[in-house]
């Protein structure tokens, strides 16, 4: 049986090869591509699952944070439920002992101890500052007319916790003060040198300021306590007006 020399046998394909090619199972082509697609699809699912899990966790954390924020009470809520307690002589002495505990002897503590009769009534009624000062210092007008008063020593000294509070107290006490000389003893926009010069040149009646600045001026001897008749401590005030 002779071969048909017209056919180029080396270029021809068998029926099996043709069928495999048509079905996409030839090695290196459709078979490998399919496997790659399956792997890629699996990776995408894993990434999507991780993102979903991360998003859920973030939402849960946000909910927990919102709950904590809601549970945190504001200072106004705490103060509204708080009963205002007047400061007593015992409270002051206890505070003083704590401050002097490390650097002072028992004898010095005893010398600085205050007695009940040295304290004015507290502003437990929450009256305005002017009303309260009129009640506890009824002879204020008479004190202003004192002729033997010298410079750099006020008659009334109010000590507050902050410069802002000192400004508020000074403003609210305008009705009580009347025509008197006021000295502001705090650091807000005021230099120590300027305050020292003012104290040395003027008779002052009403002083209001913060502990640190007052202490600085006393140490420099610009502020004298010679004529001081009353010291008001802004004891109970906590972001609430008119409490002294």
């Amino acid at each position: 049986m002779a071969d048909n020399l017209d056919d180029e046998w080396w270029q021809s394909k068998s029926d099996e090869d043709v069928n495999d090619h048509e079905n996409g199972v030839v090695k290196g082509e459709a078979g490998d591509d399919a496997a790659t697609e399956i792997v890629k699809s699996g990776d995408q699912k894993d990434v999507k699952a991780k993102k979903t899990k991360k998003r859920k966790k973030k939402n849960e954390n946000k909910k927990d944070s919102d709950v904590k924020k809601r549970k945190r009470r504001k200072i106004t809520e705490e103060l509204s439920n708080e009963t205002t307690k007047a400061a007593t002589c015992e409270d002051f002495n206890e505070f003083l002992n704590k401050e002097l505990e490390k650097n002072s002897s028992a004898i010095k503590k005893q010398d600085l101890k205050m007695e009940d009769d040295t304290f004015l009534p507290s502003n437990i009624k929450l009256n305005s500052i002017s009303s309260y000062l009129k009640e506890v210092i009824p002879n204020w007008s008479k004190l202003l007319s004192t002729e033997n008063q010298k410079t750099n020593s006020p008659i009334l000294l109010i000590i507050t916790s902050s410069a802002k509070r000192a400004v508020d107290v000074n403003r609210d006490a305008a009705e009580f003060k009347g025509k008197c000389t006021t000295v502001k003893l705090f650091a807000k926009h005021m230099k120590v040198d300027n305050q020292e010069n003012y104290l040395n040149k003027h008779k002052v009646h009403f002083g209001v300021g913060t502990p640190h600045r007052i202490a600085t001026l006393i140490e420099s001897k610009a502020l004298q306590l010679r004529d001081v008749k009353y010291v008001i401590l802004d004891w109970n005030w906590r972001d609430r007006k008119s409490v002294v």
Side-chain angles (χ1 to χ4, degrees):
M1 183 175 179
D3 290 333
N4 185 0
L5 297 177
D6 294 334
D7 296 332
E8 296 179 356
W9 58 270
W10 61 86
Q11 294 181 355
S12 62
K13 295 181 180 179
S14 63
D15 294 339
E16 184 178 353
D17 290 340
V18 172
N19 291 335
D20 288 344
H21 184 74
E22 290 176 355
N23 292 331
V25 295
V26 178
K27 285 185 178 182
E29 295 182 6
D32 288 346
D33 291 343
T36 302
E37 291 297 327
I38 292 172
V39 172
K40 285 183 178 180
S41 178
D43 289 343
Q44 290 175 354
K45 288 181 179 179
D46 290 342
V47 171
K48 190 174 181 180
K50 287 180 180 179
K51 286 183 178 180
T52 303
K53 187 176 180 180
K54 189 175 181 180
R55 195 181 300 112
K56 286 182 179 179
K57 189 174 181 180
K58 186 177 180 180
N59 291 336
E60 289 175 359
N61 292 337
K62 187 178 180 182
K63 287 180 181 178
D64 293 339
S65 177
D66 291 341
V67 170
K68 288 179 181 178
K69 286 181 180 179
R70 285 195 296 270
K71 287 182 179 179
R72 188 182 302 161
R73 299 176 66 190
K74 295 180 180 179
I75 188 170
T76 51
E77 294 174 346
E78 293 180 3
L79 290 173
S80 63
N81 297 327
E82 204 176 78
T83 302
T84 303
K85 178 181 177 292
T88 63
C89 177
E90 185 180 352
D91 293 330
F92 179 79
N93 286 326
E94 184 180 350
F95 170 78
L96 196 62
N97 285 333
K98 286 182 180 179
E99 292 297 313
L100 300 174
E101 188 172 2
K102 295 181 180 180
N103 302 320
S104 301
S105 63
I107 296 175
K108 186 175 182 180
K109 290 179 185 178
Q110 187 63 32
D111 290 340
L112 293 173
K113 186 178 179 181
M114 305 291 287
E115 300 297 333
D116 285 335
D117 58 0
T118 60
F119 280 78
L120 297 169
S122 298
N123 187 16
I124 194 62
K125 298 177 182 178
L126 305 185
N127 294 328
S128 68
I129 292 172
S130 284
S131 298
Y132 170 68
L133 293 175
K134 285 179 180 179
E135 182 180 335
V136 296
I137 313 176
N139 59 336
W140 177 248
S141 298
K142 186 177 180 179
L143 291 172
L144 293 180
S145 62
T146 303
E147 295 181 358
N148 59 355
Q149 186 188 357
K150 297 180 180 180
T151 59
N152 67 17
S153 182
I155 298 171
L156 169 62
L157 182 61
I158 300 180
I159 304 175
T160 66
S161 59
S162 68
K164 184 179 183 303
R165 175 61 176 166
V167 171
D168 292 341
V169 168
N170 183 50
R171 183 188 63 245
D172 295 342
E175 183 183 345
F176 164 78
K177 290 191 301 180
K179 293 181 179 180
C180 74
T181 305
T182 299
V183 58
K184 300 174 183 177
L185 308 171
F186 47 84
K188 190 174 184 180
H189 310 305
M190 297 182 186
K191 295 181 179 179
V192 174
D193 293 344
N194 295 337
Q195 289 171 328
E196 289 176 343
N197 291 333
Y198 186 86
L199 285 166
N200 289 326
K201 293 178 181 179
H202 296 84
K203 289 183 179 181
V204 292
H205 307 100
F206 186 96
V208 57
T210 53
H212 187 270
R213 180 52 62 91
I214 289 173
T216 299
L217 293 168
I218 290 174
E219 289 172 2
S220 70
K221 297 184 179 180
L223 176 64
Q224 298 288 327
L225 306 179
R226 177 184 56 254
D227 296 325
V228 174
K229 299 289 190 295
Y230 301 96
V231 176
I232 304 292
L233 300 178
D234 197 29
W235 185 277
N236 287 336
W237 182 78
R238 293 187 194 175
D239 200 24
R240 181 192 289 175
K241 293 183 179 179
S242 303
V243 180
V244 177

